[in-house]
């Protein structure tokens, strides 16, 4: 029996500066599960209006970006830039709006109200948590609204405000990362790790990807297309995972038919809760395969 979970892969979330037209056009052919059209951090102040105009132009040419989820990160809605962003994208055919630097449930709800006053589609909302206050309030923020579909870490600002030096093992960030994962999972949110900025150190980036996976993240933000292949690979189930998932589902089904609630595989006790992990693994793998992606690198390892 194939799993029927409603699960959207977000292994890679690529930030695209919207004030550079060639970046917008290049994003159409990239193997990113999600594309974030960034009007905020990557756009200099003097290019904010250019960024809005080029984003609208790109969507007028075509609103599709292959299989990629389409997200717009706006400037803070407490600013004039943010209000202009919201007005510019009020009719844009996108999947979600990403709000930067959310630090409280009250501000999140206020911003959702502002979005709903402009858009009538109850669009999905994503949030950046990128400050100590945001981390400490992560549980309240995630609990505040079912409209929040995804939490995305902002590790640079967080590191600066924690006054830590970023190291390859990210020791100074591990507590914050884990707290946000806990909050997101408690309220059934997708959660994405922040980007790795050292583009030339592929080994360090790969380590960061696999560390994020093992911490419980669904995927990782990406700042350059060169990072897509190995980031997708890190969050794509491997053959051993797929075979184990199939075996768990089959074993639990057989155990239930025989009047038992647990199963045994290779002398290991399999509890019912493992079925959810197995279904998620197979759903992710099958969804990626159905999308026709070529990013199943290492699936046989």
């Amino acid at each position: 029996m194939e799993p029927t979970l409603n699960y959207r892969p977000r292994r890679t979330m690529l930030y695209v500066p919207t004030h550079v037209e060639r970046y917008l056009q290049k994003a159409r052919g990239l193997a990113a599960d999600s594309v974030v059209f960034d009007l905020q951090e990557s756009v200099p102040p003097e290019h904010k209006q250019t960024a809005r105009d080029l984003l609208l132009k790109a969507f007028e040419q075509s609103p599709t970006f292959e299989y990629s989820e389409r997200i717009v990160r706006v400037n803070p809605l407490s600013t004039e830039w943010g209000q202009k962003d919201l007005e510019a994208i009020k009719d844009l055919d996108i999947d979600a709006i990403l709000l930067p630097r959310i630090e409280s449930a009250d501000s999140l709800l206020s911003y959702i109200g502002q979005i709903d006053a402009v858009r009538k589609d109850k669009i999905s909302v994503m949030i950046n948590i990128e400050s100590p206050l945001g981390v400490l309030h992560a549980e309240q923020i995630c609990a505040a609204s079912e409209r929040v579909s995804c939490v995305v870490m902002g590790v640079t600002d967080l590191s600066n405000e924690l006054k830590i030096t970023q190291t390859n093992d990210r020791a100074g960030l591990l507590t914050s990362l884990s707290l946000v994962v806990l909050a997101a999972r408690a309220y059934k949110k997708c959660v994405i790790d922040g980007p790795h900025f050292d583009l030339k150190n592929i080994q360090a980036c790969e380590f960061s990807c696999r560390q994020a996976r093992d911490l419980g993240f669904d995927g990782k933000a990406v700042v350059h297309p060169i990072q897509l292949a190995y980031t997708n690979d890190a969050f794509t189930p491997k053959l051993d995972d797929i075979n184990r998932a199939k075996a768990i589902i089959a074993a639990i089904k057989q155990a239930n038919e025989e009047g038992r609630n647990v199963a045994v595989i290779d002398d290991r006790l399999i509890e019912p809760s493992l079925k959810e992990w197995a279904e998620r693994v197979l759903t992710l793998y099958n969804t990626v395969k159905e999308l026709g992606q070529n990013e199943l690198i290492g699936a046989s390892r």
Side-chain angles (χ1 to χ4, degrees), residues 190-205:
C190 177
V191 59
I192 304 297
D193 189 20
H196 183 86
F197 289 97
D198 187 351
L199 301 180
K200 292 185 177 181
N201 193 335
I202 294 176
Q203 289 75 22
C205 186

Side-chain angles (χ1 to χ4, degrees), residues 42-55:
S42 64
V43 179
E46 62 271 22
H47 293 293
K48 295 292 186 183
Q49 189 56 49
T50 298
R52 298 183 195 105
D53 293 342
L54 288 176
L55 178 61

Side-chain angles (χ1 to χ4, degrees), residues 112-143:
I112 291 176
Q114 291 180 52
I115 292 170
D116 289 347
V118 175
R119 294 182 65 105
K120 307 305 179 185
D121 56 356
K122 301 295 183 182
I123 191 168
S124 175
V125 173
M126 299 181 177
I127 60 172
N128 280 140
I129 289 185
E130 48 190 325
S131 70
L133 198 58
V135 171
L136 290 174
H137 290 167
E139 181 182 355
Q140 301 165 30
I141 292 167
C142 290

Side-chain angles (χ1 to χ4, degrees), residues 99-262:
L99 298 172
R101 200 178 178 85
I102 297 299
E103 295 186 312
S104 73
D106 288 344
S107 62
L108 169 62
L109 293 174
S110 174
Y111 296 151
I112 291 176
Q114 291 180 52
I115 292 170
D116 289 347
V118 175
R119 294 182 65 105
K120 307 305 179 185
D121 56 356
K122 301 295 183 182
I123 191 168
S124 175
V125 173
M126 299 181 177
I127 60 172
N128 280 140
I129 289 185
E130 48 190 325
S131 70
L133 198 58
V135 171
L136 290 174
H137 290 167
E139 181 182 355
Q140 301 165 30
I141 292 167
C142 290
S145 175
E146 294 183 356
R147 290 277 294 283
V148 175
S149 59
C150 186
V151 179
V152 186
M153 294 298 302
V155 293
T156 301
D157 286 356
L158 179 59
S159 296
N160 288 340
E161 293 184 37
L162 289 173
K163 302 188 185 304
I164 62 174
T165 299
Q166 291 199 50
T167 56
N168 286 342
D169 63 5
R170 301 199 296 174
L173 285 172
L174 292 181
T175 297
S176 297
L177 295 175
S178 294
L179 285 172
V180 174
V181 170
L182 281 169
R185 294 307 186 207
Y187 295 96
K188 311 299 182 184
K189 313 296 185 187
C190 177
V191 59
I192 304 297
D193 189 20
H196 183 86
F197 289 97
D198 187 351
L199 301 180
K200 292 185 177 181
N201 193 335
I202 294 176
Q203 289 75 22
C205 186
E206 287 182 324
F207 174 83
S208 180
C209 291
R210 298 179 196 284
Q211 181 193 54
R213 177 198 64 197
D214 294 343
L215 285 171
F217 287 96
D218 291 283
K220 193 167 178 66
V222 173
V223 292
H224 194 284
I226 197 174
Q227 299 173 324
L228 286 170
Y230 44 84
T231 306
N232 275 331
D233 179 52
F235 291 94
T236 300
K238 304 300 183 282
L239 185 59
D240 287 347
D241 295 324
I242 296 161
N243 289 339
R244 178 167 172 76
K246 290 178 178 178
I248 287 172
I249 290 174
I252 291 291
K253 179 181 179 182
Q254 181 178 347
N256 291 343
E257 290 172 350
E258 295 173 356
R260 294 179 287 108
N261 202 39
V262 297

